[in-house]
PDB file of all heavy atoms in Angstrom:
ATOM      1  N   VAL P   1    -177.449-126.403   7.227  1.00 89.00           N
ATOM      2  CA  VAL P   1    -176.455-125.552   7.896  1.00 89.00           C
ATOM      3  C   VAL P   1    -175.889-124.551   6.822  1.00 89.00           C
ATOM      4  O   VAL P   1    -175.372-124.992   5.795  1.00 89.00           O
ATOM      5  CB  VAL P   1    -175.281-126.369   8.504  1.00 89.00           C
ATOM      6  CG1 VAL P   1    -174.209-125.498   9.044  1.00 89.00           C
ATOM      7  CG2 VAL P   1    -175.854-127.315   9.565  1.00 89.00           C
ATOM      8  N   MET P   2    -176.085-123.277   7.099  1.00 90.00           N
ATOM      9  CA  MET P   2    -175.697-122.273   6.068  1.00 90.00           C
ATOM     10  C   MET P   2    -174.189-121.957   6.172  1.00 90.00           C
ATOM     11  O   MET P   2    -173.497-121.949   5.189  1.00 90.00           O
ATOM     12  CB  MET P   2    -176.489-120.999   6.278  1.00 90.00           C
ATOM     13  CG  MET P   2    -177.982-121.147   5.982  1.00 90.00           C
ATOM     14  SD  MET P   2    -178.318-121.632   4.306  1.00 90.00           S
ATOM     15  CE  MET P   2    -177.777-120.218   3.386  1.00 90.00           C
ATOM     16  N   ASP P   3    -173.728-121.633   7.398  1.00 94.00           N
ATOM     17  CA  ASP P   3    -172.337-121.229   7.546  1.00 94.00           C
ATOM     18  C   ASP P   3    -171.716-121.948   8.725  1.00 94.00           C
ATOM     19  O   ASP P   3    -172.450-122.339   9.669  1.00 94.00           O
ATOM     20  CB  ASP P   3    -172.262-119.686   7.732  1.00 94.00           C
ATOM     21  CG  ASP P   3    -170.836-119.140   7.398  1.00 94.00           C
ATOM     22  OD1 ASP P   3    -169.979-119.976   7.001  1.00 94.00           O
ATOM     23  OD2 ASP P   3    -170.652-117.963   7.525  1.00 94.00           O
ATOM     24  N   ILE P   4    -170.416-122.122   8.688  1.00 96.00           N
ATOM     25  CA  ILE P   4    -169.733-122.798   9.786  1.00 96.00           C
ATOM     26  C   ILE P   4    -168.387-122.167   9.983  1.00 96.00           C
ATOM     27  O   ILE P   4    -167.770-121.715   9.005  1.00 96.00           O
ATOM     28  CB  ILE P   4    -169.587-124.310   9.407  1.00 96.00           C
ATOM     29  CG1 ILE P   4    -168.935-125.095  10.560  1.00 96.00           C
ATOM     30  CG2 ILE P   4    -168.852-124.557   8.120  1.00 96.00           C
ATOM     31  CD1 ILE P   4    -168.938-126.598  10.372  1.00 96.00           C
ATOM     32  N   LEU P   5    -167.946-122.055  11.198  1.00 96.00           N
ATOM     33  CA  LEU P   5    -166.590-121.503  11.475  1.00 96.00           C
ATOM     34  C   LEU P   5    -166.074-122.124  12.753  1.00 96.00           C
ATOM     35  O   LEU P   5    -166.797-122.723  13.529  1.00 96.00           O
ATOM     36  CB  LEU P   5    -166.676-119.964  11.597  1.00 96.00           C
ATOM     37  CG  LEU P   5    -167.618-119.333  12.641  1.00 96.00           C
ATOM     38  CD1 LEU P   5    -166.972-119.272  13.975  1.00 96.00           C
ATOM     39  CD2 LEU P   5    -167.973-117.934  12.219  1.00 96.00           C
ATOM     40  N   VAL P   6    -164.784-121.945  12.936  1.00 95.00           N
ATOM     41  CA  VAL P   6    -164.117-122.348  14.210  1.00 95.00           C
ATOM     42  C   VAL P   6    -163.812-121.076  14.976  1.00 95.00           C
ATOM     43  O   VAL P   6    -163.094-120.208  14.469  1.00 95.00           O
ATOM     44  CB  VAL P   6    -162.863-123.188  13.936  1.00 95.00           C
ATOM     45  CG1 VAL P   6    -162.085-123.396  15.244  1.00 95.00           C
ATOM     46  CG2 VAL P   6    -163.175-124.534  13.337  1.00 95.00           C
ATOM     47  N   PHE P   7    -164.340-121.049  16.177  1.00 93.00           N
ATOM     48  CA  PHE P   7    -164.137-119.893  17.100  1.00 93.00           C
ATOM     49  C   PHE P   7    -162.869-120.228  17.903  1.00 93.00           C
ATOM     50  O   PHE P   7    -162.886-121.067  18.801  1.00 93.00           O
ATOM     51  CB  PHE P   7    -165.370-119.762  18.024  1.00 93.00           C
ATOM     52  CG  PHE P   7    -165.341-118.553  18.908  1.00 93.00           C
ATOM     53  CD1 PHE P   7    -166.134-117.466  18.596  1.00 93.00           C
ATOM     54  CD2 PHE P   7    -164.574-118.539  20.049  1.00 93.00           C
ATOM     55  CE1 PHE P   7    -166.121-116.339  19.419  1.00 93.00           C
ATOM     56  CE2 PHE P   7    -164.544-117.416  20.898  1.00 93.00           C
ATOM     57  CZ  PHE P   7    -165.361-116.325  20.604  1.00 93.00           C
ATOM     58  N   HIS P   8    -161.757-119.573  17.546  1.00 90.00           N
ATOM     59  CA  HIS P   8    -160.514-119.828  18.244  1.00 90.00           C
ATOM     60  C   HIS P   8    -159.565-118.639  18.051  1.00 90.00           C
ATOM     61  O   HIS P   8    -159.565-118.017  16.958  1.00 90.00           O
ATOM     62  CB  HIS P   8    -159.834-121.120  17.789  1.00 90.00           C
ATOM     63  CG  HIS P   8    -158.619-121.474  18.622  1.00 90.00           C
ATOM     64  ND1 HIS P   8    -157.339-121.193  18.185  1.00 90.00           N
ATOM     65  CD2 HIS P   8    -158.521-122.112  19.793  1.00 90.00           C
ATOM     66  CE1 HIS P   8    -156.472-121.614  19.115  1.00 90.00           C
ATOM     67  NE2 HIS P   8    -157.157-122.172  20.099  1.00 90.00           N
ATOM     68  N   SER P   9    -158.770-118.298  19.080  1.00 88.00           N
ATOM     69  CA  SER P   9    -157.946-117.106  19.000  1.00 88.00           C
ATOM     70  C   SER P   9    -156.935-117.202  17.887  1.00 88.00           C
ATOM     71  O   SER P   9    -156.508-116.128  17.308  1.00 88.00           O
ATOM     72  CB  SER P   9    -157.234-116.865  20.358  1.00 88.00           C
ATOM     73  OG  SER P   9    -156.489-118.005  20.696  1.00 88.00           O
ATOM     74  N   SER P  10    -156.432-118.423  17.524  1.00 89.00           N
ATOM     75  CA  SER P  10    -155.452-118.557  16.511  1.00 89.00           C
ATOM     76  C   SER P  10    -155.961-118.108  15.114  1.00 89.00           C
ATOM     77  O   SER P  10    -155.172-117.810  14.202  1.00 89.00           O
ATOM     78  CB  SER P  10    -154.909-119.964  16.380  1.00 89.00           C
ATOM     79  OG  SER P  10    -155.921-120.851  15.834  1.00 89.00           O
ATOM     80  N   ARG P  11    -157.295-118.063  14.954  1.00 93.00           N
ATOM     81  CA  ARG P  11    -157.851-117.619  13.656  1.00 93.00           C
ATOM     82  C   ARG P  11    -157.821-116.102  13.537  1.00 93.00           C
ATOM     83  O   ARG P  11    -158.201-115.579  12.520  1.00 93.00           O
ATOM     84  CB  ARG P  11    -159.307-118.088  13.515  1.00 93.00           C
ATOM     85  CG  ARG P  11    -159.488-119.595  13.453  1.00 93.00           C
ATOM     86  CD  ARG P  11    -159.167-120.197  12.096  1.00 93.00           C
ATOM     87  NE  ARG P  11    -159.926-119.570  10.966  1.00 93.00           N
ATOM     88  CZ  ARG P  11    -159.502-119.583   9.715  1.00 93.00           C
ATOM     89  NH1 ARG P  11    -158.366-120.217   9.393  1.00 93.00           N
ATOM     90  NH2 ARG P  11    -160.215-119.047   8.770  1.00 93.00           N
ATOM     91  N   GLN P  12    -157.485-115.398  14.672  1.00 94.00           N
ATOM     92  CA  GLN P  12    -157.484-113.910  14.623  1.00 94.00           C
ATOM     93  C   GLN P  12    -156.212-113.353  15.219  1.00 94.00           C
ATOM     94  O   GLN P  12    -156.212-112.547  16.143  1.00 94.00           O
ATOM     95  CB  GLN P  12    -158.767-113.374  15.320  1.00 94.00           C
ATOM     96  CG  GLN P  12    -160.023-113.797  14.573  1.00 94.00           C
ATOM     97  CD  GLN P  12    -161.261-113.070  15.030  1.00 94.00           C
ATOM     98  OE1 GLN P  12    -161.355-112.525  16.106  1.00 94.00           O
ATOM     99  NE2 GLN P  12    -162.295-113.067  14.151  1.00 94.00           N
ATOM    100  N   ASP P  13    -155.097-113.819  14.697  1.00 92.00           N
ATOM    101  CA  ASP P  13    -153.776-113.343  15.102  1.00 92.00           C
ATOM    102  C   ASP P  13    -153.339-112.200  14.234  1.00 92.00           C
ATOM    103  O   ASP P  13    -154.039-111.772  13.358  1.00 92.00           O
ATOM    104  CB  ASP P  13    -152.724-114.487  14.904  1.00 92.00           C
ATOM    105  CG  ASP P  13    -152.621-115.302  16.177  1.00 92.00           C
ATOM    106  OD1 ASP P  13    -153.139-114.904  17.222  1.00 92.00           O
ATOM    107  OD2 ASP P  13    -152.018-116.397  16.146  1.00 92.00           O
ATOM    108  N   GLY P  14    -152.083-111.727  14.481  1.00 93.00           N
ATOM    109  CA  GLY P  14    -151.451-110.803  13.553  1.00 93.00           C
ATOM    110  C   GLY P  14    -151.547-109.339  13.972  1.00 93.00           C
ATOM    111  O   GLY P  14    -152.206-109.031  14.936  1.00 93.00           O
ATOM    112  N   LEU P  15    -150.954-108.496  13.167  1.00 95.00           N
ATOM    113  CA  LEU P  15    -150.952-107.061  13.431  1.00 95.00           C
ATOM    114  C   LEU P  15    -151.038-106.288  12.108  1.00 95.00           C
ATOM    115  O   LEU P  15    -150.562-106.756  11.060  1.00 95.00           O
ATOM    116  CB  LEU P  15    -149.628-106.655  14.138  1.00 95.00           C
ATOM    117  CG  LEU P  15    -149.542-106.874  15.634  1.00 95.00           C
ATOM    118  CD1 LEU P  15    -148.110-106.580  16.110  1.00 95.00           C
ATOM    119  CD2 LEU P  15    -150.528-106.056  16.406  1.00 95.00           C
ATOM    120  N   ASN P  16    -151.616-105.096  12.176  1.00 96.00           N
ATOM    121  CA  ASN P  16    -151.483-104.130  11.051  1.00 96.00           C
ATOM    122  C   ASN P  16    -151.608-102.738  11.593  1.00 96.00           C
ATOM    123  O   ASN P  16    -151.733-102.553  12.821  1.00 96.00           O
ATOM    124  CB  ASN P  16    -152.504-104.426   9.918  1.00 96.00           C
ATOM    125  CG  ASN P  16    -153.944-104.142  10.295  1.00 96.00           C
ATOM    126  OD1 ASN P  16    -154.217-103.389  11.265  1.00 96.00           O
ATOM    127  ND2 ASN P  16    -154.894-104.675   9.536  1.00 96.00           N
ATOM    128  N   ASP P  17    -151.533-101.748  10.725  1.00 95.00           N
ATOM    129  CA  ASP P  17    -151.473-100.365  11.221  1.00 95.00           C
ATOM    130  C   ASP P  17    -152.808 -99.857  11.776  1.00 95.00           C
ATOM    131  O   ASP P  17    -152.860 -98.741  12.378  1.00 95.00           O
ATOM    132  CB  ASP P  17    -151.085 -99.407  10.049  1.00 95.00           C
ATOM    133  CG  ASP P  17    -149.644 -99.674   9.588  1.00 95.00           C
ATOM    134  OD1 ASP P  17    -148.853-100.172  10.405  1.00 95.00           O
ATOM    135  OD2 ASP P  17    -149.345 -99.431   8.399  1.00 95.00           O
ATOM    136  N   CYS P  18    -153.880-100.618  11.647  1.00 97.00           N
ATOM    137  CA  CYS P  18    -155.172-100.168  12.166  1.00 97.00           C
ATOM    138  C   CYS P  18    -155.360-100.571  13.661  1.00 97.00           C
ATOM    139  O   CYS P  18    -156.307-100.121  14.310  1.00 97.00           O
ATOM    140  CB  CYS P  18    -156.342-100.740  11.357  1.00 97.00           C
ATOM    141  SG  CYS P  18    -156.468-100.061   9.680  1.00 97.00           S
ATOM    142  N   VAL P  19    -154.511-101.443  14.173  1.00 96.00           N
ATOM    143  CA  VAL P  19    -154.732-101.972  15.532  1.00 96.00           C
ATOM    144  C   VAL P  19    -154.548-100.852  16.553  1.00 96.00           C
ATOM    145  O   VAL P  19    -155.299-100.740  17.515  1.00 96.00           O
ATOM    146  CB  VAL P  19    -153.724-103.135  15.793  1.00 96.00           C
ATOM    147  CG1 VAL P  19    -153.761-103.549  17.269  1.00 96.00           C
ATOM    148  CG2 VAL P  19    -154.068-104.316  14.904  1.00 96.00           C
ATOM    149  N   GLN P  20    -153.536 -99.964  16.390  1.00 94.00           N
ATOM    150  CA  GLN P  20    -153.255 -98.909  17.284  1.00 94.00           C
ATOM    151  C   GLN P  20    -154.125 -97.685  17.013  1.00 94.00           C
ATOM    152  O   GLN P  20    -154.072 -97.077  15.944  1.00 94.00           O
ATOM    153  CB  GLN P  20    -151.773 -98.448  17.233  1.00 94.00           C
ATOM    154  CG  GLN P  20    -150.815 -99.482  17.736  1.00 94.00           C
ATOM    155  CD  GLN P  20    -150.878 -99.646  19.251  1.00 94.00           C
ATOM    156  OE1 GLN P  20    -151.257 -98.711  19.965  1.00 94.00           O
ATOM    157  NE2 GLN P  20    -150.504-100.794  19.737  1.00 94.00           N
ATOM    158  N   ASN P  21    -155.049 -97.360  17.935  1.00 95.00           N
ATOM    159  CA  ASN P  21    -155.840 -96.151  17.805  1.00 95.00           C
ATOM    160  C   ASN P  21    -156.593 -95.996  16.535  1.00 95.00           C
ATOM    161  O   ASN P  21    -156.739 -94.859  15.975  1.00 95.00           O
ATOM    162  CB  ASN P  21    -154.976 -94.871  18.049  1.00 95.00           C
ATOM    163  CG  ASN P  21    -154.554 -94.736  19.468  1.00 95.00           C
ATOM    164  OD1 ASN P  21    -155.221 -95.202  20.348  1.00 95.00           O
ATOM    165  ND2 ASN P  21    -153.400 -94.130  19.684  1.00 95.00           N
ATOM    166  N   ASN P  22    -157.008 -97.141  15.949  1.00 96.00           N
ATOM    167  CA  ASN P  22    -157.773 -97.068  14.711  1.00 96.00           C
ATOM    168  C   ASN P  22    -156.999 -96.326  13.566  1.00 96.00           C
ATOM    169  O   ASN P  22    -157.578 -95.669  12.707  1.00 96.00           O
ATOM    170  CB  ASN P  22    -159.184 -96.407  14.916  1.00 96.00           C
ATOM    171  CG  ASN P  22    -160.133 -96.649  13.794  1.00 96.00           C
ATOM    172  OD1 ASN P  22    -160.207 -97.771  13.257  1.00 96.00           O
ATOM    173  ND2 ASN P  22    -160.868 -95.611  13.411  1.00 96.00           N
ATOM    174  N   GLY P  23    -155.624 -96.404  13.597  1.00 95.00           N
ATOM    175  CA  GLY P  23    -154.782 -95.703  12.683  1.00 95.00           C
ATOM    176  C   GLY P  23    -154.964 -94.196  12.732  1.00 95.00           C
ATOM    177  O   GLY P  23    -154.636 -93.503  11.773  1.00 95.00           O
ATOM    178  N   HIS P  24    -155.494 -93.699  13.877  1.00 95.00           N
ATOM    179  CA  HIS P  24    -155.821 -92.275  14.054  1.00 95.00           C
ATOM    180  C   HIS P  24    -156.851 -91.753  13.037  1.00 95.00           C
ATOM    181  O   HIS P  24    -156.921 -90.567  12.776  1.00 95.00           O
ATOM    182  CB  HIS P  24    -154.554 -91.379  14.020  1.00 95.00           C
ATOM    183  CG  HIS P  24    -153.546 -91.772  15.079  1.00 95.00           C
ATOM    184  ND1 HIS P  24    -153.714 -91.415  16.425  1.00 95.00           N
ATOM    185  CD2 HIS P  24    -152.416 -92.472  15.024  1.00 95.00           C
ATOM    186  CE1 HIS P  24    -152.693 -91.885  17.119  1.00 95.00           C
ATOM    187  NE2 HIS P  24    -151.902 -92.549  16.294  1.00 95.00           N
ATOM    188  N   CYS P  25    -157.624 -92.683  12.459  1.00 96.00           N
ATOM    189  CA  CYS P  25    -158.671 -92.307  11.521  1.00 96.00           C
ATOM    190  C   CYS P  25    -159.922 -91.920  12.328  1.00 96.00           C
ATOM    191  O   CYS P  25    -160.297 -92.548  13.334  1.00 96.00           O
ATOM    192  CB  CYS P  25    -159.053 -93.476  10.605  1.00 96.00           C
ATOM    193  SG  CYS P  25    -157.690 -94.034   9.523  1.00 96.00           S
ATOM    194  N   GLY P  26    -160.632 -90.895  11.826  1.00 95.00           N
ATOM    195  CA  GLY P  26    -161.824 -90.416  12.503  1.00 95.00           C
ATOM    196  C   GLY P  26    -162.982 -91.460  12.345  1.00 95.00           C
ATOM    197  O   GLY P  26    -163.682 -91.710  13.300  1.00 95.00           O
ATOM    198  N   HIS P  27    -163.104 -92.095  11.220  1.00 97.00           N
ATOM    199  CA  HIS P  27    -164.237 -93.050  11.026  1.00 97.00           C
ATOM    200  C   HIS P  27    -163.649 -94.457  10.858  1.00 97.00           C
ATOM    201  O   HIS P  27    -163.644 -95.244  11.814  1.00 97.00           O
ATOM    202  CB  HIS P  27    -165.056 -92.683   9.772  1.00 97.00           C
ATOM    203  CG  HIS P  27    -165.956 -91.542   9.996  1.00 97.00           C
ATOM    204  ND1 HIS P  27    -166.889 -91.082   9.086  1.00 97.00           N
ATOM    205  CD2 HIS P  27    -166.058 -90.670  11.038  1.00 97.00           C
ATOM    206  CE1 HIS P  27    -167.570 -90.044   9.535  1.00 97.00           C
ATOM    207  NE2 HIS P  27    -167.064 -89.757  10.746  1.00 97.00           N
ATOM    208  N   LEU P  28    -163.224 -94.841   9.654  1.00 97.00           N
ATOM    209  CA  LEU P  28    -162.853 -96.176   9.355  1.00 97.00           C
ATOM    210  C   LEU P  28    -161.313 -96.288   9.033  1.00 97.00           C
ATOM    211  O   LEU P  28    -160.797 -95.436   8.307  1.00 97.00           O
ATOM    212  CB  LEU P  28    -163.595 -96.703   8.121  1.00 97.00           C
ATOM    213  CG  LEU P  28    -165.125 -96.757   8.206  1.00 97.00           C
ATOM    214  CD1 LEU P  28    -165.748 -96.837   6.827  1.00 97.00           C
ATOM    215  CD2 LEU P  28    -165.575 -97.931   9.064  1.00 97.00           C
TER     216      LEU P  28
END
């Protein structure tokens, strides 16, 4: 087994400035 993870919403919580409209960035 090479990699292992837990698929659950609590592993992907939180907020930052990129969540809204990709920070208004054209690319990344």
